[in-house]
Amino acid sequence: MSIEIKFDEAARRIFVFDEVYSERAAREQAEKRKLGAFGTVARVQSLIAGGPKPETVSLSKSELRFEPFWLVSARRSVDYTCQVEYTVGIDNAHAQRVQIGSFATEVAARGSKRQIVVPAVETCHRKIDFSTHLDGLKREIRASTLEAYVRNYKAQDVEAMAADNAVESLVSIASVIQIATSRLTGEAIAAHEIAHDELLIDKLYLYWRPVFAFEYVWTANGRTGVIEIDGLTGDGIANGQWFKDKLQRVMTREMLIEVSSEVANAVVPGTGVAVKLIDRML
């Protein structure tokens, strides 16, 4: 039985958040936290001789970058039948045999109860939902944290991400679709026969959020460290990272549509179930 993968008409979109914190405010926050750029041990050492001091740590470079994360939401709808047996109690103490239409069966005694077992076929419809947020740089950022960005801050719906300071997503479109399809097709369906199996992806969104990065140099030993300031919340991350891999080309919504269509028209990983793509947009 093949699974039809469909995309909602507005399933694939690109969003870019506007920074809430200015570069100046972010720099002020980074200056307050700069000793943390070299790790917890160095921060503790700053209290004693030999550790970094504010006067021995200087800013070497800074940037506003846009970091990617994904939102994928999908629903699997299955029409199927189940072969079951209904146990029906018989109140008439004198009944020996029961006929229902063309079906007839003997009444059986089960202790003090009298009953019959009726075979039946149930026609069923089941819906299974899946939704998650995924950090595009494969870090252990909670989905709830990324969800809060979407819920609390404004993002522009754009046709393309052309900023040269956007970080390349390490999580591919293929991985995002496979996560959703694997999770949904991995749900067991207790069916005798499946009449129709459809998976609708209603959200495949790629977000970019602003992050200010400040690289500091500990002049005493030449070590470098990075402080990150969230451009939306203003939260700081000590001992951060400097991402060198930026987008090599403009990421457009059309590219998102084309690549996701190619990926979906494949086999769902680990299931052996053939996938038939029906794309409403194409």
PDB file of all heavy atoms in Angstrom, residues 86-117:
ATOM      1  N   TYR A  86     -17.432  -9.268  18.383  1.00  0.00           N
ATOM      2  CA  TYR A  86     -18.201  -8.638  19.442  1.00  0.00           C
ATOM      3  C   TYR A  86     -18.796  -9.719  20.340  1.00  0.00           C
ATOM      4  O   TYR A  86     -19.401 -10.684  19.855  1.00  0.00           O
ATOM      5  CB  TYR A  86     -19.341  -7.798  18.872  1.00  0.00           C
ATOM      6  CG  TYR A  86     -18.892  -6.553  18.132  1.00  0.00           C
ATOM      7  CD1 TYR A  86     -19.729  -5.948  17.198  1.00  0.00           C
ATOM      8  CD2 TYR A  86     -17.658  -5.966  18.374  1.00  0.00           C
ATOM      9  CE1 TYR A  86     -19.340  -4.790  16.529  1.00  0.00           C
ATOM     10  CE2 TYR A  86     -17.253  -4.827  17.719  1.00  0.00           C
ATOM     11  CZ  TYR A  86     -18.094  -4.244  16.791  1.00  0.00           C
ATOM     12  OH  TYR A  86     -17.697  -3.107  16.133  1.00  0.00           O
ATOM     13  N   THR A  87     -18.641  -9.554  21.615  1.00  0.00           N
ATOM     14  CA  THR A  87     -19.272 -10.453  22.578  1.00  0.00           C
ATOM     15  C   THR A  87     -20.565  -9.800  23.053  1.00  0.00           C
ATOM     16  O   THR A  87     -20.544  -8.686  23.586  1.00  0.00           O
ATOM     17  CB  THR A  87     -18.344 -10.713  23.783  1.00  0.00           C
ATOM     18  OG1 THR A  87     -17.134 -11.317  23.310  1.00  0.00           O
ATOM     19  CG2 THR A  87     -19.009 -11.640  24.786  1.00  0.00           C
ATOM     20  N   VAL A  88     -21.682 -10.503  22.843  1.00  0.00           N
ATOM     21  CA  VAL A  88     -23.005  -9.958  23.155  1.00  0.00           C
ATOM     22  C   VAL A  88     -23.670 -10.828  24.217  1.00  0.00           C
ATOM     23  O   VAL A  88     -23.781 -12.057  24.059  1.00  0.00           O
ATOM     24  CB  VAL A  88     -23.896  -9.907  21.902  1.00  0.00           C
ATOM     25  CG1 VAL A  88     -25.259  -9.306  22.227  1.00  0.00           C
ATOM     26  CG2 VAL A  88     -23.202  -9.116  20.797  1.00  0.00           C
ATOM     27  N   GLY A  89     -24.066 -10.208  25.313  1.00  0.00           N
ATOM     28  CA  GLY A  89     -24.752 -10.941  26.362  1.00  0.00           C
ATOM     29  C   GLY A  89     -26.195 -11.278  25.956  1.00  0.00           C
ATOM     30  O   GLY A  89     -26.872 -10.473  25.309  1.00  0.00           O
ATOM     31  N   ILE A  90     -26.647 -12.465  26.328  1.00  0.00           N
ATOM     32  CA  ILE A  90     -28.015 -12.923  26.021  1.00  0.00           C
ATOM     33  C   ILE A  90     -28.806 -12.990  27.318  1.00  0.00           C
ATOM     34  O   ILE A  90     -28.481 -13.758  28.233  1.00  0.00           O
ATOM     35  CB  ILE A  90     -27.987 -14.309  25.334  1.00  0.00           C
ATOM     36  CG1 ILE A  90     -27.124 -14.260  24.062  1.00  0.00           C
ATOM     37  CG2 ILE A  90     -29.404 -14.773  25.018  1.00  0.00           C
ATOM     38  CD1 ILE A  90     -27.596 -13.278  23.022  1.00  0.00           C
ATOM     39  N   ASP A  91     -29.867 -12.187  27.397  1.00  0.00           N
ATOM     40  CA  ASP A  91     -30.666 -12.103  28.628  1.00  0.00           C
ATOM     41  C   ASP A  91     -31.671 -13.246  28.767  1.00  0.00           C
ATOM     42  O   ASP A  91     -32.013 -13.637  29.882  1.00  0.00           O
ATOM     43  CB  ASP A  91     -31.407 -10.768  28.679  1.00  0.00           C
ATOM     44  CG  ASP A  91     -30.441  -9.586  28.770  1.00  0.00           C
ATOM     45  OD1 ASP A  91     -29.337  -9.770  29.336  1.00  0.00           O
ATOM     46  OD2 ASP A  91     -30.781  -8.496  28.267  1.00  0.00           O
ATOM     47  N   ASN A  92     -32.115 -13.751  27.628  1.00  0.00           N
ATOM     48  CA  ASN A  92     -33.117 -14.821  27.666  1.00  0.00           C
ATOM     49  C   ASN A  92     -32.468 -16.134  28.104  1.00  0.00           C
ATOM     50  O   ASN A  92     -31.645 -16.704  27.388  1.00  0.00           O
ATOM     51  CB  ASN A  92     -33.762 -14.970  26.290  1.00  0.00           C
ATOM     52  CG  ASN A  92     -34.923 -15.957  26.299  1.00  0.00           C
ATOM     53  OD1 ASN A  92     -35.119 -16.721  27.252  1.00  0.00           O
ATOM     54  ND2 ASN A  92     -35.693 -15.962  25.204  1.00  0.00           N
ATOM     55  N   ALA A  93     -32.822 -16.615  29.281  1.00  0.00           N
ATOM     56  CA  ALA A  93     -32.208 -17.835  29.825  1.00  0.00           C
ATOM     57  C   ALA A  93     -32.554 -19.084  29.034  1.00  0.00           C
ATOM     58  O   ALA A  93     -31.890 -20.119  29.164  1.00  0.00           O
ATOM     59  CB  ALA A  93     -32.627 -18.024  31.288  1.00  0.00           C
ATOM     60  N   HIS A  94     -33.584 -19.001  28.211  1.00  0.00           N
ATOM     61  CA  HIS A  94     -34.023 -20.170  27.457  1.00  0.00           C
ATOM     62  C   HIS A  94     -33.493 -20.189  26.023  1.00  0.00           C
ATOM     63  O   HIS A  94     -33.689 -21.178  25.308  1.00  0.00           O
ATOM     64  CB  HIS A  94     -35.556 -20.214  27.433  1.00  0.00           C
ATOM     65  CG  HIS A  94     -36.156 -20.148  28.813  1.00  0.00           C
ATOM     66  ND1 HIS A  94     -36.055 -21.164  29.731  1.00  0.00           N
ATOM     67  CD2 HIS A  94     -36.848 -19.148  29.423  1.00  0.00           C
ATOM     68  CE1 HIS A  94     -36.657 -20.819  30.852  1.00  0.00           C
ATOM     69  NE2 HIS A  94     -37.164 -19.597  30.697  1.00  0.00           N
ATOM     70  N   ALA A  95     -32.846 -19.113  25.585  1.00  0.00           N
ATOM     71  CA  ALA A  95     -32.357 -19.043  24.209  1.00  0.00           C
ATOM     72  C   ALA A  95     -31.210 -20.020  24.017  1.00  0.00           C
ATOM     73  O   ALA A  95     -30.277 -20.074  24.826  1.00  0.00           O
ATOM     74  CB  ALA A  95     -31.916 -17.625  23.878  1.00  0.00           C
ATOM     75  N   GLN A  96     -31.245 -20.776  22.939  1.00  0.00           N
ATOM     76  CA  GLN A  96     -30.205 -21.740  22.607  1.00  0.00           C
ATOM     77  C   GLN A  96     -29.414 -21.332  21.370  1.00  0.00           C
ATOM     78  O   GLN A  96     -28.248 -21.714  21.222  1.00  0.00           O
ATOM     79  CB  GLN A  96     -30.842 -23.132  22.361  1.00  0.00           C
ATOM     80  CG  GLN A  96     -31.588 -23.674  23.563  1.00  0.00           C
ATOM     81  CD  GLN A  96     -30.652 -23.918  24.731  1.00  0.00           C
ATOM     82  OE1 GLN A  96     -29.605 -24.552  24.573  1.00  0.00           O
ATOM     83  NE2 GLN A  96     -31.025 -23.418  25.912  1.00  0.00           N
ATOM     84  N   ARG A  97     -30.069 -20.570  20.501  1.00  0.00           N
ATOM     85  CA  ARG A  97     -29.443 -20.203  19.233  1.00  0.00           C
ATOM     86  C   ARG A  97     -29.960 -18.827  18.831  1.00  0.00           C
ATOM     87  O   ARG A  97     -31.127 -18.507  19.019  1.00  0.00           O
ATOM     88  CB  ARG A  97     -29.773 -21.251  18.156  1.00  0.00           C
ATOM     89  CG  ARG A  97     -29.098 -21.024  16.805  1.00  0.00           C
ATOM     90  CD  ARG A  97     -29.470 -22.176  15.852  1.00  0.00           C
ATOM     91  NE  ARG A  97     -28.916 -21.979  14.527  1.00  0.00           N
ATOM     92  CZ  ARG A  97     -27.668 -22.285  14.171  1.00  0.00           C
ATOM     93  NH1 ARG A  97     -26.859 -22.803  15.074  1.00  0.00           N
ATOM     94  NH2 ARG A  97     -27.254 -22.095  12.948  1.00  0.00           N
ATOM     95  N   VAL A  98     -29.086 -18.015  18.233  1.00  0.00           N
ATOM     96  CA  VAL A  98     -29.460 -16.671  17.826  1.00  0.00           C
ATOM     97  C   VAL A  98     -29.100 -16.491  16.355  1.00  0.00           C
ATOM     98  O   VAL A  98     -28.016 -16.895  15.922  1.00  0.00           O
ATOM     99  CB  VAL A  98     -28.732 -15.596  18.667  1.00  0.00           C
ATOM    100  CG1 VAL A  98     -29.017 -14.199  18.125  1.00  0.00           C
ATOM    101  CG2 VAL A  98     -29.149 -15.687  20.127  1.00  0.00           C
ATOM    102  N   GLN A  99     -30.014 -15.881  15.603  1.00  0.00           N
ATOM    103  CA  GLN A  99     -29.767 -15.592  14.199  1.00  0.00           C
ATOM    104  C   GLN A  99     -29.915 -14.096  13.968  1.00  0.00           C
ATOM    105  O   GLN A  99     -30.900 -13.491  14.377  1.00  0.00           O
ATOM    106  CB  GLN A  99     -30.738 -16.356  13.291  1.00  0.00           C
ATOM    107  CG  GLN A  99     -30.458 -16.103  11.812  1.00  0.00           C
ATOM    108  CD  GLN A  99     -31.156 -17.107  10.907  1.00  0.00           C
ATOM    109  OE1 GLN A  99     -31.581 -18.186  11.356  1.00  0.00           O
ATOM    110  NE2 GLN A  99     -31.278 -16.763   9.651  1.00  0.00           N
ATOM    111  N   ILE A 100     -28.913 -13.527  13.337  1.00  0.00           N
ATOM    112  CA  ILE A 100     -28.928 -12.110  12.975  1.00  0.00           C
ATOM    113  C   ILE A 100     -28.726 -12.036  11.470  1.00  0.00           C
ATOM    114  O   ILE A 100     -27.626 -12.274  10.964  1.00  0.00           O
ATOM    115  CB  ILE A 100     -27.817 -11.330  13.701  1.00  0.00           C
ATOM    116  CG1 ILE A 100     -27.930 -11.501  15.212  1.00  0.00           C
ATOM    117  CG2 ILE A 100     -27.869  -9.859  13.327  1.00  0.00           C
ATOM    118  CD1 ILE A 100     -26.769 -10.898  15.986  1.00  0.00           C
ATOM    119  N   GLY A 101     -29.783 -11.737  10.739  1.00  0.00           N
ATOM    120  CA  GLY A 101     -29.698 -11.776   9.293  1.00  0.00           C
ATOM    121  C   GLY A 101     -29.377 -13.186   8.834  1.00  0.00           C
ATOM    122  O   GLY A 101     -30.045 -14.153   9.212  1.00  0.00           O
ATOM    123  N   SER A 102     -28.303 -13.326   8.064  1.00  0.00           N
ATOM    124  CA  SER A 102     -27.897 -14.649   7.583  1.00  0.00           C
ATOM    125  C   SER A 102     -26.911 -15.317   8.535  1.00  0.00           C
ATOM    126  O   SER A 102     -26.527 -16.473   8.321  1.00  0.00           O
ATOM    127  CB  SER A 102     -27.269 -14.539   6.196  1.00  0.00           C
ATOM    128  OG  SER A 102     -26.121 -13.696   6.243  1.00  0.00           O
ATOM    129  N   PHE A 103     -26.518 -14.596   9.579  1.00  0.00           N
ATOM    130  CA  PHE A 103     -25.549 -15.156  10.535  1.00  0.00           C
ATOM    131  C   PHE A 103     -26.292 -15.813  11.694  1.00  0.00           C
ATOM    132  O   PHE A 103     -27.214 -15.241  12.276  1.00  0.00           O
ATOM    133  CB  PHE A 103     -24.642 -14.046  11.074  1.00  0.00           C
ATOM    134  CG  PHE A 103     -23.761 -14.473  12.207  1.00  0.00           C
ATOM    135  CD1 PHE A 103     -22.628 -15.241  11.968  1.00  0.00           C
ATOM    136  CD2 PHE A 103     -24.090 -14.148  13.527  1.00  0.00           C
ATOM    137  CE1 PHE A 103     -21.819 -15.646  13.015  1.00  0.00           C
ATOM    138  CE2 PHE A 103     -23.288 -14.545  14.570  1.00  0.00           C
ATOM    139  CZ  PHE A 103     -22.145 -15.299  14.321  1.00  0.00           C
ATOM    140  N   ALA A 104     -25.883 -17.041  12.033  1.00  0.00           N
ATOM    141  CA  ALA A 104     -26.494 -17.768  13.149  1.00  0.00           C
ATOM    142  C   ALA A 104     -25.391 -18.401  13.981  1.00  0.00           C
ATOM    143  O   ALA A 104     -24.357 -18.831  13.458  1.00  0.00           O
ATOM    144  CB  ALA A 104     -27.454 -18.833  12.632  1.00  0.00           C
ATOM    145  N   THR A 105     -25.601 -18.428  15.298  1.00  0.00           N
ATOM    146  CA  THR A 105     -24.603 -19.011  16.182  1.00  0.00           C
ATOM    147  C   THR A 105     -25.258 -19.544  17.440  1.00  0.00           C
ATOM    148  O   THR A 105     -26.356 -19.104  17.823  1.00  0.00           O
ATOM    149  CB  THR A 105     -23.532 -17.961  16.559  1.00  0.00           C
ATOM    150  OG1 THR A 105     -22.502 -18.596  17.321  1.00  0.00           O
ATOM    151  CG2 THR A 105     -24.119 -16.848  17.409  1.00  0.00           C
ATOM    152  N   GLU A 106     -24.602 -20.503  18.099  1.00  0.00           N
ATOM    153  CA  GLU A 106     -25.102 -21.085  19.330  1.00  0.00           C
ATOM    154  C   GLU A 106     -24.794 -20.161  20.505  1.00  0.00           C
ATOM    155  O   GLU A 106     -23.783 -19.451  20.510  1.00  0.00           O
ATOM    156  CB  GLU A 106     -24.448 -22.443  19.574  1.00  0.00           C
ATOM    157  CG  GLU A 106     -24.656 -23.455  18.451  1.00  0.00           C
ATOM    158  CD  GLU A 106     -26.120 -23.860  18.332  1.00  0.00           C
ATOM    159  OE1 GLU A 106     -26.808 -23.907  19.361  1.00  0.00           O
ATOM    160  OE2 GLU A 106     -26.563 -24.122  17.195  1.00  0.00           O
ATOM    161  N   VAL A 107     -25.677 -20.175  21.497  1.00  0.00           N
ATOM    162  CA  VAL A 107     -25.453 -19.416  22.723  1.00  0.00           C
ATOM    163  C   VAL A 107     -24.521 -20.217  23.622  1.00  0.00           C
ATOM    164  O   VAL A 107     -24.709 -21.419  23.840  1.00  0.00           O
ATOM    165  CB  VAL A 107     -26.780 -19.141  23.450  1.00  0.00           C
ATOM    166  CG1 VAL A 107     -26.515 -18.410  24.780  1.00  0.00           C
ATOM    167  CG2 VAL A 107     -27.709 -18.304  22.568  1.00  0.00           C
ATOM    168  N   ALA A 108     -23.471 -19.570  24.127  1.00  0.00           N
ATOM    169  CA  ALA A 108     -22.490 -20.241  24.977  1.00  0.00           C
ATOM    170  C   ALA A 108     -22.621 -19.747  26.411  1.00  0.00           C
ATOM    171  O   ALA A 108     -22.947 -18.588  26.651  1.00  0.00           O
ATOM    172  CB  ALA A 108     -21.075 -19.979  24.466  1.00  0.00           C
ATOM    173  N   ALA A 109     -22.396 -20.664  27.344  1.00  0.00           N
ATOM    174  CA  ALA A 109     -22.442 -20.308  28.760  1.00  0.00           C
ATOM    175  C   ALA A 109     -21.032 -20.017  29.245  1.00  0.00           C
ATOM    176  O   ALA A 109     -20.099 -20.791  29.008  1.00  0.00           O
ATOM    177  CB  ALA A 109     -23.067 -21.435  29.564  1.00  0.00           C
ATOM    178  N   ARG A 110     -20.879 -18.885  29.895  1.00  0.00           N
ATOM    179  CA  ARG A 110     -19.604 -18.505  30.488  1.00  0.00           C
ATOM    180  C   ARG A 110     -19.866 -18.223  31.962  1.00  0.00           C
ATOM    181  O   ARG A 110     -20.161 -17.105  32.363  1.00  0.00           O
ATOM    182  CB  ARG A 110     -19.029 -17.266  29.797  1.00  0.00           C
ATOM    183  CG  ARG A 110     -18.663 -17.470  28.347  1.00  0.00           C
ATOM    184  CD  ARG A 110     -17.427 -18.374  28.208  1.00  0.00           C
ATOM    185  NE  ARG A 110     -16.974 -18.488  26.819  1.00  0.00           N
ATOM    186  CZ  ARG A 110     -17.405 -19.401  25.975  1.00  0.00           C
ATOM    187  NH1 ARG A 110     -18.308 -20.288  26.393  1.00  0.00           N
ATOM    188  NH2 ARG A 110     -16.959 -19.431  24.739  1.00  0.00           N
ATOM    189  N   GLY A 111     -19.777 -19.274  32.757  1.00  0.00           N
ATOM    190  CA  GLY A 111     -20.124 -19.149  34.164  1.00  0.00           C
ATOM    191  C   GLY A 111     -21.614 -18.898  34.298  1.00  0.00           C
ATOM    192  O   GLY A 111     -22.444 -19.660  33.778  1.00  0.00           O
ATOM    193  N   SER A 112     -21.963 -17.810  34.945  1.00  0.00           N
ATOM    194  CA  SER A 112     -23.378 -17.470  35.112  1.00  0.00           C
ATOM    195  C   SER A 112     -23.905 -16.648  33.945  1.00  0.00           C
ATOM    196  O   SER A 112     -25.095 -16.329  33.903  1.00  0.00           O
ATOM    197  CB  SER A 112     -23.559 -16.684  36.424  1.00  0.00           C
ATOM    198  OG  SER A 112     -22.802 -15.477  36.386  1.00  0.00           O
ATOM    199  N   LYS A 113     -23.016 -16.295  32.997  1.00  0.00           N
ATOM    200  CA  LYS A 113     -23.421 -15.467  31.867  1.00  0.00           C
ATOM    201  C   LYS A 113     -23.635 -16.315  30.631  1.00  0.00           C
ATOM    202  O   LYS A 113     -23.007 -17.351  30.436  1.00  0.00           O
ATOM    203  CB  LYS A 113     -22.359 -14.401  31.594  1.00  0.00           C
ATOM    204  CG  LYS A 113     -22.172 -13.411  32.747  1.00  0.00           C
ATOM    205  CD  LYS A 113     -21.130 -12.364  32.397  1.00  0.00           C
ATOM    206  CE  LYS A 113     -20.952 -11.364  33.527  1.00  0.00           C
ATOM    207  NZ  LYS A 113     -19.929 -10.336  33.196  1.00  0.00           N
ATOM    208  N   ARG A 114     -24.556 -15.850  29.802  1.00  0.00           N
ATOM    209  CA  ARG A 114     -24.808 -16.500  28.509  1.00  0.00           C
ATOM    210  C   ARG A 114     -24.526 -15.460  27.427  1.00  0.00           C
ATOM    211  O   ARG A 114     -24.931 -14.304  27.548  1.00  0.00           O
ATOM    212  CB  ARG A 114     -26.260 -16.995  28.448  1.00  0.00           C
ATOM    213  CG  ARG A 114     -26.536 -18.117  29.445  1.00  0.00           C
ATOM    214  CD  ARG A 114     -28.027 -18.319  29.663  1.00  0.00           C
ATOM    215  NE  ARG A 114     -28.737 -18.587  28.420  1.00  0.00           N
ATOM    216  CZ  ARG A 114     -28.720 -19.749  27.742  1.00  0.00           C
ATOM    217  NH1 ARG A 114     -28.008 -20.756  28.231  1.00  0.00           N
ATOM    218  NH2 ARG A 114     -29.390 -19.908  26.631  1.00  0.00           N
ATOM    219  N   GLN A 115     -23.823 -15.863  26.379  1.00  0.00           N
ATOM    220  CA  GLN A 115     -23.397 -14.890  25.386  1.00  0.00           C
ATOM    221  C   GLN A 115     -23.184 -15.531  24.033  1.00  0.00           C
ATOM    222  O   GLN A 115     -23.117 -16.760  23.914  1.00  0.00           O
ATOM    223  CB  GLN A 115     -22.088 -14.227  25.832  1.00  0.00           C
ATOM    224  CG  GLN A 115     -20.925 -15.201  25.961  1.00  0.00           C
ATOM    225  CD  GLN A 115     -19.692 -14.596  26.582  1.00  0.00           C
ATOM    226  OE1 GLN A 115     -19.799 -13.716  27.423  1.00  0.00           O
ATOM    227  NE2 GLN A 115     -18.519 -15.080  26.184  1.00  0.00           N
ATOM    228  N   ILE A 116     -23.083 -14.686  23.045  1.00  0.00           N
ATOM    229  CA  ILE A 116     -22.697 -15.126  21.699  1.00  0.00           C
ATOM    230  C   ILE A 116     -21.526 -14.265  21.233  1.00  0.00           C
ATOM    231  O   ILE A 116     -21.320 -13.153  21.732  1.00  0.00           O
ATOM    232  CB  ILE A 116     -23.860 -15.017  20.689  1.00  0.00           C
ATOM    233  CG1 ILE A 116     -24.311 -13.549  20.548  1.00  0.00           C
ATOM    234  CG2 ILE A 116     -25.015 -15.925  21.066  1.00  0.00           C
ATOM    235  CD1 ILE A 116     -25.326 -13.329  19.438  1.00  0.00           C
ATOM    236  N   VAL A 117     -20.730 -14.775  20.305  1.00  0.00           N
ATOM    237  CA  VAL A 117     -19.619 -14.036  19.714  1.00  0.00           C
ATOM    238  C   VAL A 117     -19.954 -13.778  18.251  1.00  0.00           C
ATOM    239  O   VAL A 117     -20.184 -14.726  17.478  1.00  0.00           O
ATOM    240  CB  VAL A 117     -18.304 -14.808  19.837  1.00  0.00           C
ATOM    241  CG1 VAL A 117     -17.188 -14.060  19.137  1.00  0.00           C
ATOM    242  CG2 VAL A 117     -17.964 -15.045  21.307  1.00  0.00           C
TER     243      VAL A 117
END
